[in-house]
Amino acid sequence: MFRPDANAARFNSSARRMAMPELPEETFIRALELLVAQDREWVPGGEGNSLYLRPFMIATQRGLGVNHPSSEYLFCVIASPAASYFSSGVKPVTVWLSREYTRAAPGGTGGVKTGGNYAAAFAAQQQAVDRGCDQVVWLDAAEHRWVEEMGGMNLFFVRGTTAEPWIATPPLTGTLLPGITRDSLLKLAPQLGVRAVEEPITIDQWQAECAAGELTEVFACGTAAVITPVGRVKSESAEWTIADGAPGPVTMRLREELIAIQYGHKPDPHTWIHKVC
Ligand SMILES: Cc1ncc(COP(=O)(O)O)c(C=O)c1O
């Protein structure tokens, strides 16, 4: 399992925001261990495949009313074998910049993992698909110009030279999810000689830097697809390609490195891997 402790901590920060009870981290991890041990035959072989684990908690108190949280909850873990996102090669995605819809506002629930965030995103995702795009990129709620994150992934921007590239990701303002893959890459990249910073970026900057050849790669990252290159950007008023639209060398290098740690092919200096016996 990859960083179950970090997932446990985010599960609890999400629970706090939703006025739900927290779960001892060891209980969360033990539940995952028990399910994986029980379902070990379902763990698919082959590079890139995985057993997708989905812990969740729901309110179960009976009643109608909106003034207080439930007094009873159910914690569950479900699992499903998942095929590699990239069985046919790493394919860059085209993203849709949503100006009509907003994912999260300051003080809201954007910084935690809760079902409502995803429900509220479907209309924009549908709009993206209708415009021939794969995913939505969310902008900030106040000015609609600061890039926040993608549908279910965080974003990184690659700048610098081939010899000295550096990567930047929008800071955790409370309106985007603190991705565990994002955190892992912020720690991993410097070990590969790639400086990594948290820095805001506007969509105008994104477009202008691409036009000037200063921003050479963009990728999204998250547990399910690890790292996905972003090739093209569309909005109501503009459309542009990032470099030649193909997966860039920094994107691919970070992807290979992270996958090698996850599959045990490379040392795991941060003890991110949790073995289930
Ligand atoms: C909205 C959102 N942002 C980012 C991420 C990436 O987070 P992680 O790297 O922890 O999977 C996810 C995935 O769960 C997500 O749903």
Side-chain angles (χ1 to χ4, degrees):
M1 297 194 290
F2 188 67
R3 304 191 68 182
D5 48 345
N7 278 277
R10 188 174 67 192
F11 185 85
N12 279 340
S13 70
S14 301
R16 282 195 295 279
R17 176 62 183 84
M18 303 312 289
M20 295 170 100
E22 291 180 45
L23 196 70
E25 283 189 14
E26 56 279 12
T27 306
F28 179 96
I29 294 172
R30 187 74 191 125
L32 295 171
E33 285 173 342
L34 287 171
L35 186 66
V36 173
Q38 178 71 27
D39 282 349
R40 57 188 316 131
E41 299 297 322
W42 286 100
V43 179
E47 200 86 339
N49 300 328
S50 56
L51 186 71
Y52 188 82
L53 298 170
R54 166 57 56 214
F56 64 94
M57 179 162 53
I58 54 170
T60 52
Q61 186 190 354
R62 289 184 206 170
L64 296 173
V66 290
N67 292 328
H68 60 82
S70 172
S71 60
E72 288 170 22
Y73 295 86
L74 179 68
F75 168 68
C76 302
V77 189
I78 55 174
S80 170
S84 165
Y85 265 53
F86 302 108
S87 43
S88 53
V90 179
K91 196 175 150 287
V93 292
T94 299
V95 296
W96 172 251
L97 293 178
S98 181
R99 287 178 184 269
E100 187 180 346
Y101 298 109
T102 300
R103 177 180 175 274
T109 60
V112 303
K113 216 170 206 306
T114 186
N117 289 345
Y118 300 90
F122 287 143
Q125 177 60 27
Q126 191 53 53
Q127 202 174 54
V129 171
D130 292 345
R131 304 294 199 288
C133 298
D134 304 291
Q135 286 283 342
V136 180
V137 164
W138 297 103
L139 304 175
D140 75 291
E143 299 180 61
H144 296 283
R145 66 191 190 104
W146 298 99
V147 178
E148 299 218 308
E149 62 177 327
M150 220 165 83
M153 305 177 95
N154 294 109
L155 285 166
F156 275 90
F157 298 85
V158 184
R159 299 188 181 93
T161 59
T162 314
E164 258 183 89
W166 59 280
I167 59 172
T169 189
L172 299 177
T173 51
T175 51
L176 55 147
L177 193 77
I180 289 155
T181 319
R182 173 190 181 279
D183 179 72
S184 307
L185 291 170
L186 284 172
K187 295 189 167 92
L188 186 65
Q191 291 163 8
L192 305 175
V194 178
R195 190 163 66 87
V197 299
E198 296 177 86
E199 196 178 270
I201 178 170
T202 65
I203 45 170
D204 291 342
Q205 209 183 332
W206 182 350
Q207 186 178 10
E209 286 188 30
C210 278
E214 292 160 6
L215 205 165
T216 48
E217 300 173 41
V218 178
F219 63 84
C221 66
T223 299
V226 191
I227 288 183
T228 305
V230 177
R232 201 164 164 73
V233 187
K234 283 189 196 178
S235 73
E236 291 290 4
S237 55
E239 193 167 335
W240 69 95
T241 302
I242 298 143
D244 62 358
V250 178
T251 302
M252 295 310 285
R253 169 116 194 274
L254 290 169
R255 182 172 178 273
E256 274 155 29
E257 203 67 29
L258 189 55
I259 289 175
I261 295 174
Q262 290 179 334
Y263 280 84
H265 301 324
K266 289 240 169 128
D268 171 26
H270 301 282
T271 50
W272 285 337
I273 305 304
H274 183 99
K275 286 204 172 145
V276 182
C277 302

